[in-house]
């Protein structure tokens, strides 16, 4: 009875493990999850590439991307302006005044593009130079975006004092927002190093493809960098507390990957 019970328990354990592995494989067949993994893989690769570029190149790319996003948001906000009833002259007059101040979709797209693009570009340069995101960097970026907004909205004919006060207002608002984020525990992401560690680019991509990205911290804890991938064994993965099912998937992926597996004999 004892032997039979032991065999039954072992069989149930094996069945449970195979079901877990099957579940992981089924998750990989999910088109939505595959799309998410592909998107994340491209995002990680792009960020890794961008971090290796010079400061002017990175700043230009970040400014352009943020400017395009800002233009889209601004244009969308401009098109969603409510229409007031034609029978209410006072309301129509107020609406015309607001449109003259804020502008239509194209004007708002231009303004938002200037604000977000300049802010992101300056913040990128400050982070590369100072190695962190903090209050000083945020305030400098806000000063630049405020000045850019004043320039594009009023042109060169605007009063210089208006540009200064606008930039100062942006800086004060950004400083208050930054402090409030820290107060409510939302500012911990600032001054943290970039999570895209170049020593784990291939490892991260592999884990993303397998749907095992949560074990990236285990790889980093065990210093299992990209050069160690061809040398990985079941015991090495066990030492960093990766469960049996994910270990099998990782080792199978390495065995099937010709680029990684080809380095075993070198």
């Amino acid at each position: 009875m004892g032997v039979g019970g032991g065999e039954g328990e072992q069989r149930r354990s094996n069945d449970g493990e195979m079901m877990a592995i099957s579940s992981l494989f089924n998750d990989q067949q999910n088109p939505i999850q595959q799309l998410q993994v592909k998107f994340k893989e491209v995002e990680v690769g792009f960020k890794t590439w961008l971090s290796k570029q010079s400061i002017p190149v990175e700043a230009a790319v970040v400014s352009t991307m943020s400017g395009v996003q800002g233009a889209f948001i601004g244009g969308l906000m401009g098109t969603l302006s409510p229409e007031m009833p034609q029978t209410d002259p006072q309301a129509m007059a107020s609406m015309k005044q607001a449109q003259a101040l804020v502008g239509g979709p194209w004007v708002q797209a231009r303004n938002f593009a200037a604000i977000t693009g300049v802010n992101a570009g300056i913040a990128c340069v400050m982070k590369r130079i100072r190695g962190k995101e903090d209050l000083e960097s945020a305030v400098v970026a806000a000063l630049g975006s405020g000045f850019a907004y004043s320039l594009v909205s009023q042109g060169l004919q605007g009063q210089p004092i208006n540009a200064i006060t606008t930039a100062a207002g942006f800086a004060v608002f950004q400083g208050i927002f930054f402090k409030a984020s820290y107060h409510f525990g939302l500012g911990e992401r600032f001054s943290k190093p970039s999570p895209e560690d170049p020593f784990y680019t291939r490892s991260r991509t592999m884990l993303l493809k397998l749907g095992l990205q949560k074990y990236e911290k285990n790889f980093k804890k065990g210093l299992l960098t990209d050069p160690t991938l061809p040398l990985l064994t079941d015991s090495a993965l066990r030492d960093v507390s990766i469960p049996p099912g994910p270990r099998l998937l990782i080792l199978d992926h390495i065995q099937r990957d010709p680029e990684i597996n080809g380095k075993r004999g070198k």
Side-chain angles (χ1 to χ4, degrees), residues 213-228:
Q213 55 268 29
K214 67 179 180 180
Y215 295 112
E216 181 180 346
K217 62 180 183 297
N218 301 67
F219 270 66
K220 291 183 176 180
K221 182 179 178 181
L223 300 180
L224 300 179
T225 58
D226 289 350
T228 68

Side-chain angles (χ1 to χ4, degrees), residues 233-255:
T233 62
D234 183 77
S235 61
L237 294 173
R238 188 188 308 117
D239 288 342
V240 294
S241 303
I242 295 180
R247 292 204 305 266
L248 291 173
L249 292 177
I250 292 170
L251 294 174
D252 179 71
H253 177 85
I254 293 175
Q255 183 67 30

Side-chain angles (χ1 to χ4, degrees), residues 16-207:
E17 184 174 316
M18 293 303 299
M19 290 178 62
I21 297 174
S22 176
S23 176
L24 286 171
F25 275 115
N26 289 335
D27 287 341
Q28 295 177 56
Q29 303 303 319
N30 188 329
I32 297 178
Q33 187 178 19
Q34 287 183 342
L35 184 62
Q36 291 175 340
V37 170
K38 275 293 182 184
F39 177 80
K40 186 63 178 177
E41 182 180 345
V42 172
E43 181 185 13
V44 169
F46 175 74
K47 288 183 177 180
T48 302
W49 170 84
L50 191 61
S51 65
K52 299 177 182 178
Q53 306 307 307
S54 64
I55 294 179
V57 172
E58 183 178 6
V61 172
V62 171
S63 296
T64 301
M65 294 178 62
S66 298
V68 171
Q69 293 176 357
F72 175 78
I73 295 174
L76 183 62
M77 291 179 62
T79 58
L80 295 179
S81 299
E83 296 184 2
M84 301 301 295
Q86 298 286 341
T87 57
D88 191 342
Q90 184 176 0
M92 287 297 297
S94 300
M95 177 58 66
K96 289 180 179 180
Q97 292 176 357
Q99 289 178 342
L101 178 63
V102 179
W106 291 108
V107 174
Q108 292 197 45
R110 178 200 64 193
N111 293 346
F112 272 79
I115 293 171
T116 57
V118 172
N119 188 288
I122 295 177
C124 172
V125 172
M126 294 291 290
K127 181 180 179 181
R128 285 287 293 269
I129 293 175
R130 307 180 72 242
K132 59 182 178 179
E133 295 179 70
D134 54 10
L135 177 61
E136 288 77 8
S137 298
V139 169
V140 171
L143 282 169
S145 61
F147 183 82
Y149 169 75
S150 178
L151 186 64
V152 299
S153 61
Q154 300 180 19
L156 297 176
Q157 295 78 18
Q159 296 287 340
I161 189 65
N162 292 338
I164 295 174
T165 55
T166 301
F170 272 61
V172 170
F173 175 80
Q174 182 67 29
I176 294 174
F177 176 78
F178 193 97
K179 287 292 187 182
S181 297
Y182 265 110
H183 178 72
F184 291 104
L186 302 176
E188 294 181 355
R189 67 182 183 88
F190 295 105
S191 71
K192 281 188 176 180
S194 174
E196 312 304 340
D197 193 328
F199 291 104
Y200 297 92
T201 301
R202 181 173 291 278
S203 304
R204 185 182 305 111
T205 301
M206 176 188 68
L207 294 173

